[in-house]
Amino acid sequence: MLPAVLCGQVDPSALLQQARAKIVESVEKLPKYTCVQTVHRSRFEVFYGRKASGCGHVEEAGAANRGPMVLLAWRDQFKLDVTISQGTEIFSWAGAQVFQSADVQEIVGGGLTGTGDFGPFLMDVFGGKGSVYQYVGSEPEQRRAYAVYRYHVPVPASHYQIKVGARPEGLATLAYEGQFWIDPQSAELSRMTIAVPKPPKESETCRIETTIDYQRVPIDGAPLLLPQSTVLKLWEPDGARYENRIAYAGCRAFRSESVFRPEVEATTGDSTAAATVSGGGSAAPKTRVAVPAGLTLQIALRSKIDAETSFAGDAIEGQLVEAIHTRDGNLVAPQGAIVQGRIVRFVEHSAPSHYWAVGLRFHSLGGVPVTLEAVPRSREEQILNGAPERRQGIGAFLFQGDRLALDERFVSEWKTAPARSMRN
């Protein structure tokens, strides 16, 4: 292989060849590894002035909205595990025992989600045969000069898809383009941008752009090329826009073979199966009894939920305020029995009014899998838990105030529901 740097001058073709070989070699190892994504999402909307009626307000990459005034409408935060399976990213809540879905929205609900930055974009751009490259020149950054290239991935070579229309199967494959930065001394990829300047009109999107910063992460002695951070932006015709910021950490090798199935960590099985439920140091019932549907229970939070430190994806615990019995008097679970679950939504709404929306899901009662449905405490929560929240088994709770901090004083009401396969 030709050296990338000859007498201080970059050989663009040789450098690109070296970089592509290193990138592809690293990406091919990704199915053996997983990382934790920490995602902060923001949505900005037009609240004052006239809304835009087309995409003229987005003139170039990084352009700010022009004309209407946009304000932060809401922001949320969550953590996911991500890995590669059969060339596709798959996800789960951080710390889950199985990977649950290739569709992030099935896990986190609505809002802008994007995939591809953990590995598939690299295979499209550097591992495919259809990409076109152009050397731009040298660009200094942080006392180091990087070789900069433009690239274009046409539709036949692309796996970049965007949803168009309301139907789940409505997907369009897009061509995309951007730049990447290569260290000429090491042939390492440092950064890549991805832009879709003209999405399909049916997508109701003006522009999508992504910036990914990369780093080599030593895992079990094998330095792996992984994203360090990603910024995803999307502009809409009315002037609204999304911005997602993703940080990667906790990257590790699988200690055993990874599992991918679209169920929870422990599925409920038959809702009438006998189970002994205990917890909190209380004596377990002597007779194994069924956990039927229709029982009402109150759960006091044991875990702390705090706006400064909590994320959707965090595991939580609660405990029964009172013992629950079957209609014929059999003890199902004693007072204080531990209920395990997860935060599945953590949103701060800023405009037009300020409040917090927290989604909780409980999936285990005293170590026994159980399906619970929340009992809304108000019409507002009932609305929130309806059309905007399509995931089942979630209790959606509203809180006003500048800061959110929940502890054991927060008590929620639930009902046992017929068992089904669900995601926690």
Side-chain angles (χ1 to χ4, degrees):
M1 182 177 291
L2 295 175
V5 181
L6 297 173
C7 301
Q9 299 296 319
V10 174
D11 181 336
S13 297
L15 177 61
L16 179 58
Q17 184 179 357
Q18 289 183 40
R20 289 183 65 186
K22 296 182 71 171
I23 292 168
V24 171
E25 179 186 17
S26 183
V27 173
E28 289 176 346
K29 299 176 181 177
L30 285 179
K32 300 179 181 179
Y33 300 90
T34 180
C35 292
V36 178
Q37 289 184 338
T38 299
V39 184
H40 293 266
R41 302 190 299 182
S42 302
R43 177 169 169 82
F44 300 85
E45 296 181 1
V46 178
F47 291 99
Y48 301 100
R50 185 178 179 181
K51 291 186 177 183
S53 58
C55 293
H57 59 286
V58 182
E59 298 179 359
E60 57 186 12
N65 291 288
R66 304 178 188 279
M69 180 182 294
V70 295
L71 298 175
L72 177 65
W74 60 260
R75 59 185 177 185
D76 69 354
Q77 52 197 43
F78 55 84
K79 291 184 178 182
L80 298 173
D81 284 338
V82 58
T83 190
I84 300 292
S85 176
Q86 299 180 348
T88 301
E89 290 173 336
I90 54 175
F91 302 87
S92 68
W93 289 120
Q97 296 178 6
V98 297
F99 284 95
Q100 298 166 224
S101 179
D103 186 346
V104 180
Q105 288 198 347
E106 289 187 3
I107 301 175
V108 305
L112 174 66
T113 57
T115 62
D117 52 334
F118 191 65
F121 277 132
L122 292 179
M123 287 305 295
D124 264 11
V125 175
F126 298 100
K129 298 181 180 180
S131 299
V132 178
Y133 311 99
Q134 179 185 1
Y135 177 65
V136 176
S138 179
E139 181 176 303
E141 182 178 343
Q142 297 181 349
R143 299 181 181 181
R144 183 176 298 183
Y146 290 89
V148 184
Y149 298 78
R150 290 194 186 98
Y151 73 89
H152 176 77
V153 179
V155 170
S158 173
H159 293 88
Y160 195 134
Q161 293 184 318
I162 187 172
K163 289 186 177 181
V164 293
R167 304 183 68 179
E169 63 273 18
L171 294 172
T173 301
L174 309 178
Y176 61 96
E177 59 193 36
Q179 294 184 325
F180 54 83
W181 286 253
I182 301 292
D183 184 341
Q185 300 295 328
S186 61
E188 291 286 4
L189 175 66
S190 174
R191 177 179 298 166
M192 183 167 67
T193 63
I194 301 157
V196 182
K198 295 181 179 180
K201 184 177 180 180
E202 297 80 8
S203 69
E204 298 182 351
T205 299
C206 292
R207 183 179 178 88
I208 311 168
E209 60 180 43
T210 305
T211 301
I212 310 170
D213 288 310
Y214 292 92
Q215 61 181 343
R216 283 280 173 176
V217 178
I219 305 177
D220 292 344
L224 202 66
L225 182 67
L226 292 170
Q228 181 179 20
S229 62
T230 299
V231 178
L232 169 63
K233 297 180 181 180
L234 181 148
W235 285 263
E236 296 179 345
D238 65 356
R241 61 185 173 90
Y242 285 96
E243 182 174 309
N244 292 7
R245 294 186 175 271
I246 306 170
Y248 286 83
C251 300
R252 61 202 184 276
F254 289 120
R255 298 303 175 187
S256 59
E257 184 178 357
S258 62
V259 178
F260 172 42
R261 67 171 185 260
E263 288 95 17
V264 296
E265 296 163 68
T267 54
T268 58
D270 184 357
S271 63
T272 61
T276 298
V277 180
S278 62
S282 303
K286 295 180 180 180
T287 305
R288 292 171 62 85
V289 299
V291 183
L295 298 181
T296 299
L297 57 150
Q298 289 186 325
I299 300 174
L301 194 64
R302 282 169 52 95
S303 305
K304 303 288 186 181
I305 298 179
D306 192 292
E308 299 295 326
T309 58
S310 298
F311 290 79
D314 290 350
I316 57 170
E317 285 189 347
Q319 64 183 31
L320 290 186
V321 175
E322 297 178 347
I324 55 174
H325 299 80
T326 61
R327 291 182 176 86
D328 55 7
N330 288 322
L331 180 64
V332 174
Q335 180 182 17
I338 302 302
V339 189
Q340 295 178 319
R342 196 176 291 274
I343 304 172
V344 295
R345 188 181 189 195
F346 204 81
V347 186
E348 179 184 10
H349 293 263
S350 300
S353 61
H354 188 271
Y355 66 95
W356 299 82
V358 179
L360 305 180
R361 173 182 280 148
F362 290 103
H363 57 80
S364 175
L365 171 58
V368 177
V370 64
T371 301
L372 299 181
E373 298 286 354
V375 178
R377 300 184 301 177
S378 66
R379 176 171 173 77
E380 287 77 12
E381 287 177 4
Q382 196 168 19
I383 293 172
L384 184 65
N385 203 24
E389 183 54 80
R390 294 179 175 85
R391 296 168 296 168
Q392 293 180 316
I394 293 176
F397 305 95
L398 304 180
F399 304 92
Q400 292 183 326
D402 295 332
R403 190 176 185 277
L404 177 66
L406 303 178
D407 53 25
E408 67 276 359
R409 292 170 294 181
F410 173 67
V411 177
S412 54
E413 187 171 339
W414 304 74
K415 284 187 176 181
T416 56
R420 55 182 166 74
S421 175
M422 58 180 260
R423 296 178 177 84
N424 67 351

